[in-house]
Structure formats: structure tokens, C-alpha cells
Amino acid sequence: MTLDRQPGFSRLAPQTGTHVRLEPGDVLTIVDPSGVQVSDLYCVAADDVAETLSSGRSIDFENTIRFTTGGRLWSNRSRPMLTIVEDTCGTHDFLLTPCSQQTFDILYPDLGGAPHPSCFANLVGALSPHGVGPDQVGTTLNIFMNVWADGDGELHIGPPPSRAGDRFSVRAEMDLHVGITACSAEKSNGGVCKPIDWSVTRAGGA
Amino acid sequence: MTLDRQPGFSRLAPQTGTHVRLEPGDVLTIVDPSGVQVSDLYCVAADDVAETLSSGRSIDFENTIRFTTGGRLWSNRSRPMLTIVEDTCGTHDFLLTPCSQQTFDILYPDLGGAPHPSCFANLVGALSPHGVGPDQVGTTLNIFMNVWADGDGELHIGPPPSRAGDRFSVRAEMDLHVGITACSAEKSNGGVCKPIDWSVTRAGGA
């Protein structure tokens, strides 16, 4: 069952994405209205889109691979881009790139190479009007995604632990173009791709 | 004690880096002649430097955070760039960005913001003559670097487990500009920055 969309929220249809413009202090909230659904997030500085989200710098400066409330997401120029201000789930991934056509081709050969919607294509579609090309869309913060490494370093992907209504909010630390998705990979989302709701609370209160 | 440089090898002085040009089939070998020393590696496609090493795609497609013999390093365009063909150590990191001036400023405030050599600056210096700008130098493969996450996701950095003479070799799967370093961060290298030896075996045998 999918919860009704709350006032002030927009809904991303399954396997789609969108662009969000944030100014410093604005808070973007991502809600999983159904449970067991991932939302990928990527961002670039609005005043120079060559400044992009960096998983490596974020992991380095925050000294963790588990990002939750209080954690910051850093750019390739070592500046904070976003601060996590709310997280009712606690499980997210910052190791993997967004699912792409090649993800399906290489990792799911049973799909026979058929065209498949992807977070990568959706993020490129959302961000390319703002000057961000596909080569720049790197490792995303994969909100609610359930990835862990075992003792041998092998990765495992389980169903997202998010329950219907779980929320994840980030505050902008600079002017940003943000791309967000309702993830397109059935196998990462409990077998069925579902919607994602989102809302922005403007710093100015408007 | 540092081992003598072997015939055919070049030596990187402590806290330096260099550029290496590889053609398909060429094998680049990195040797730690002293033990307990990290070497960072980054690469881009020679025919279009916007195609860069991608930790996220590599972790995704190889399904691991532990890279060793047989593993491949992938580009942001989902193509294999390098295959690991020899690894006598077994411990390397692919989560962290190279040490940079900001690493020292942010993580080691006891250094007081003093200028410090860094892998990032050395890689930019090695690769910028080939058209690679600082914004493009992302997460490096940190050869012999000893990084692990505990059960809470917190990262820990220990002394590199490499012994004097340990070797790590990669075969080029495409034309590449490669940057390699003898890592500049005292705290990641057992307290003292030491040299790194390297050699290329050309596919053509020349």
C-alpha cells in the first residue's frame, strides 16, 4: 500500500527522476511513501557545475560509510554541499554508482540487453539542462539502499529497510542543482519499482 | 631498510608522483621497496580524458570493496580500464580520495594549515599536462592502503601491511594516462613517507 501524497509534496512516478534547485539553507525532504524503495541523489554546485558530489571526499572527511543525521556530503573541491538533518531510516549507500543501462547489461544478463529505465539516465535527463553531462554523474547517495560488505569485502544488496513514510532530509550548504530519482532497478527495490515523494522547505520560508 | 631498485624499475622519491602512458596489454608494476608504504593510482582514457577511473562503477561491477588479482578497474563510461594481474599484498583501498591539502587542513588541524605535499597535488601535476584538471581527479585506488569499516560503518586507517618487495601489477585494457604516487600522508604510512618503485612491461615486448 502506498501512502497518500502529503500536502506540499510532489510525487516521482516509479523509475523517474527530477531536478531540484536548492539555495543555502533550503531543506529537501525525500519520503518513501510505499516502503522498500530507493531514491538516488546527486548534486553539483549551481555556480560552477564542475564542482560535483564526491563520495570519496565525503567518506574521507566524515570518516564513515554510514551516512545519517549530522553527516555532511562533500564536493570534489572539499566543500560541504549538503548536511543530513533528518533520517528516520538509517540505511543508505554511498558506494555504488546509480543503476544504468550498463548495470542491467553487465549485472543482469538475463534481461538480454533490453532497454531499461535507469537512475543514471534519469539523473542525466534531470541535470543535463543545467550543463551536467553524463561523464560527471558519479557515485550517488543511494537513499534507503541496503548494501553491505561481508568479511571478504564482497557486496550484498538486500531489500531497502525503509517503511512507508520514512523520511530523509538534507539542508543545502551552497547553491545547488540536485537530481533525485525513484530508483529503476527492480532487484534493489524488493522486486517492484515504486514512487518517491519529495518537498523543499525554503530557507526564506516562502 | 629499503631494498635496492631492481633493473628496469624507476623510483619515486617520497611524497612525489609521476605520469605513465600505457597502451593495451602493457603491464604497470608497483613495488613497495621499504614496506608499509601506500601508492595512489588514478587513470583516464588517453583518447578522451573525460573518461576517468570510477570507484563506484568498479565496486558495482566487481561486487566487492576488496580488489586483488583478477579484479578489474572500470571507467565512468562502464568500460574496463585496468585488470589486476599480480598482487602479493592483498590489501588496498578504493573508498578514499587521495590525500590533499584539504585533507591535512580538515583532518589534521594539529598541522596548523601548513602547506603539505599531497597525492592529489602530485596526481594533478602528473596528469594536468595531459589535459586532466583537478576537478577530474576523483577516488584513487590506494595500493597497499589499510582501510576498514567497523560494524558501525566508521572507518579506520592502519599501517599498510605491505612488506619490502611486495608487488601490485595492472594490465591496461585501453590506452591510458596513469598517475601514480608515493603517498604523502605520514599517518597513512606508518609515520614516515617512503619511496615507491615502478616499471612498465610493454605488450610488444619492447
Side-chain angles (χ1 to χ4, degrees):
Chain A
M1 199 193 74
T2 299
L3 298 176
D4 288 341
R5 185 167 52 82
Q6 295 299 298
F9 278 78
S10 302
R11 178 157 289 183
L12 286 176
Q15 301 182 313
T16 67
T18 195
H19 165 263
V20 183
R21 180 72 167 82
L22 296 182
E23 296 184 349
D26 290 350
V27 173
L28 168 65
T29 296
I30 306 284
V31 171
D32 176 356
S34 315
V36 197
Q37 175 62 41
V38 171
S39 173
D40 282 8
L41 180 150
Y42 196 69
C43 59
V44 304
D47 59 359
D48 184 349
V49 299
E51 181 166 8
T52 61
L53 182 65
S54 169
S55 59
R57 294 253 179 252
S58 301
I59 290 169
D60 217 343
F61 294 143
E62 299 294 320
N63 201 41
T64 187
I65 56 172
R66 283 206 198 156
F67 286 76
T68 187
T69 307
R72 290 181 292 180
L73 310 184
W74 295 71
S75 78
N76 58 343
R77 295 183 188 169
S78 299
R79 298 198 302 165
M81 303 183 96
L82 292 164
T83 300
I84 303 169
V85 293
E86 181 183 27
D87 176 16
T88 65
C89 177
T91 297
H92 318 287
D93 170 65
F94 211 4
L95 299 177
L96 301 180
T97 40
C99 64
S100 63
Q101 183 64 44
Q102 290 97 334
T103 310
F104 297 106
D105 293 348
I106 294 170
L107 297 181
Y108 306 121
D110 52 306
L111 296 175
H116 194 288
S118 72
C119 287
F120 182 74
N122 287 329
L123 290 169
V124 171
L127 293 171
S128 60
H130 306 282
V132 180
D135 287 333
Q136 286 179 270
V137 177
T139 300
T140 36
L141 182 69
N142 304 307
I143 300 163
F144 309 133
M145 190 170 185
N146 189 8
V147 176
W148 70 96
D150 65 24
D152 293 326
E154 185 183 349
L155 290 190
H156 302 271
I157 302 178
S162 48
R163 299 146 300 175
D166 265 337
R167 301 160 61 91
F168 181 87
S169 300
V170 283
R171 182 184 66 226
E173 303 298 345
M174 60 171 72
D175 279 311
L176 293 170
H177 292 297
V178 182
I180 54 173
T181 70
C183 177
S184 298
E186 290 83 356
K187 291 188 180 178
S188 302
N189 293 287
V192 181
C193 294
K194 301 170 288 300
I196 284 288
D197 291 349
W198 64 277
S199 171
V200 176
T201 303
R202 298 291 172 192
Chain B
M1 199 193 74
T2 299
L3 297 176
D4 288 341
R5 186 167 53 81
Q6 294 299 298
F9 277 78
S10 302
R11 177 157 289 181
L12 286 176
Q15 301 183 310
T16 68
T18 195
H19 165 263
V20 183
R21 179 73 167 82
L22 295 181
E23 296 186 349
D26 290 350
V27 173
L28 168 65
T29 297
I30 306 284
V31 170
D32 176 357
S34 317
V36 197
Q37 175 62 41
V38 170
S39 172
D40 282 8
L41 180 151
Y42 196 68
C43 60
V44 304
D47 59 358
D48 184 349
V49 299
E51 182 167 8
T52 61
L53 181 64
S54 169
S55 59
R57 295 254 177 251
S58 301
I59 291 169
D60 216 344
F61 293 144
E62 299 294 319
N63 200 42
T64 187
I65 55 172
R66 282 204 199 160
F67 287 76
T68 187
T69 308
R72 289 181 291 181
L73 310 184
W74 295 71
S75 78
N76 57 345
R77 295 183 188 168
S78 299
R79 299 198 302 164
M81 304 184 97
L82 292 163
T83 300
I84 302 168
V85 294
E86 181 183 28
D87 176 16
T88 65
C89 176
T91 296
H92 318 287
D93 169 65
F94 212 2
L95 300 176
L96 301 180
T97 40
C99 63
S100 64
Q101 183 62 44
Q102 291 96 334
T103 310
F104 298 105
D105 292 347
I106 295 170
L107 296 181
Y108 306 122
D110 50 307
L111 296 176
H116 194 288
S118 71
C119 286
F120 183 74
N122 286 329
L123 291 169
V124 171
L127 293 170
S128 60
H130 307 282
V132 180
D135 287 335
Q136 287 179 269
V137 176
T139 300
T140 35
L141 182 69
N142 305 307
I143 300 163
F144 308 133
M145 189 169 185
N146 189 9
V147 177
W148 70 96
D150 64 24
D152 293 326
E154 186 183 351
L155 290 190
H156 302 270
I157 302 178
S162 48
R163 298 146 303 176
D166 266 338
R167 299 160 62 91
F168 181 86
S169 301
V170 284
R171 183 183 66 227
E173 303 298 346
M174 60 170 72
D175 280 310
L176 293 171
H177 292 297
V178 182
I180 54 174
T181 70
C183 177
S184 299
E186 289 83 357
K187 291 190 182 176
S188 301
N189 292 289
V192 181
C193 293
K194 301 168 290 300
I196 283 288
D197 291 349
W198 65 276
S199 171
V200 176
T201 303
R202 298 290 172 191

